Amino acid sequence: MTVYGAGSSSVVWWGAGTAPVALAVWALVTVALGLIGIVQLDRIRKLSGQTAAPRKFDRVLARNIGAVILIYTIAEGISAGALHALRHDALIFPIAVGIAGVHFFVFARVLDTWQYYVTGILDCLAVAITLLLASSDSKVGAMPSWIFYPLVGGGAALFVTAGLMFYESGVILMRLSQMPQDAARD
C-alpha cells in the first residue's frame, strides 16, 4: 500500500515549483510508512519461531480474486470506450479512479480486509470532489487537474490504508510477542 500510495501521489512533483510543502509532506509520509513497514517486517521475523502452520492455497479465494480483477478490467474498458465514443475523454481518468475505488469495496469483502472500505470511500471521494470543484480544462502545473487530484487523492487513500494496516498488524504483533510471557505465568 505504501509503495502504491507513493507512486500514485508522486504527481505532487509536477506542482513542485508551486507547492514545496506538498513535496515535503509526500516525502515525509513515504519515508515514515516505509520505515514502519521495515520495523514491522523485522518484528515478524523475530516472531518467526512462533508461527502457525502455513495456510493452504484456497481455490475459492483465488477464483474470487480473479473474478474481481476480471470484472474491474472489463468495467474500466467499457467505461473508457463509452466515454471516448461520447466525446467525454476528460472524464476517462477520474471515472477510472472511481471504478478503482469501487473495486476496493469488493476486495474488502472478498479478502475480509476492512481497511479496503476506507480506501474505496476515499478514492471515490477524491473523484467526486475533483469533478465538483475543478473544471475539466484546469491544470496543476502542466497536468490536467482531473488527472492530478484523483491521483493525489488515491495516493493519500492508499497511505491511510497502509497506516491502518500497520496499526492493526502492530497490535497483533504486540499480542503475539506477549503470548509466551502470559503462558509462562500460568
Side-chain angles (χ1 to χ4, degrees), residues 7-32:
S8 177
S9 62
S10 69
V11 295
V12 297
W13 289 93
W14 269 272
T18 59
V21 172
L23 291 176
V25 169
W26 176 85
L28 180 66
V29 169
T30 301
V31 169

Side-chain angles (χ1 to χ4, degrees), residues 16-61:
T18 59
V21 172
L23 291 176
V25 169
W26 176 85
L28 180 66
V29 169
T30 301
V31 169
L33 287 173
L35 290 174
I36 290 168
I38 291 168
V39 169
Q40 293 285 42
L41 288 172
D42 185 55
R43 290 175 67 193
I44 291 168
R45 183 186 56 78
K46 288 177 182 174
L47 289 173
S48 65
Q50 304 169 14
T51 60
R55 183 176 171 194
K56 288 185 177 181
F57 179 74
D58 187 348
R59 287 179 179 250
V60 173
L61 180 61

Side-chain angles (χ1 to χ4, degrees), residues 109-132:
R109 182 148 168 81
V110 167
L111 298 174
D112 194 24
T113 305
W114 67 268
Q115 294 91 342
Y116 285 170
Y117 288 115
V118 175
T119 310
I121 290 167
L122 294 175
D123 274 354
C124 293
L125 192 59
V127 170
I129 291 170
T130 298
L131 295 178
L132 288 172

Side-chain angles (χ1 to χ4, degrees), residues 47 57 71 97 102 108:
L47 289 173
F57 179 74
I71 292 167
V97 173
V102 170

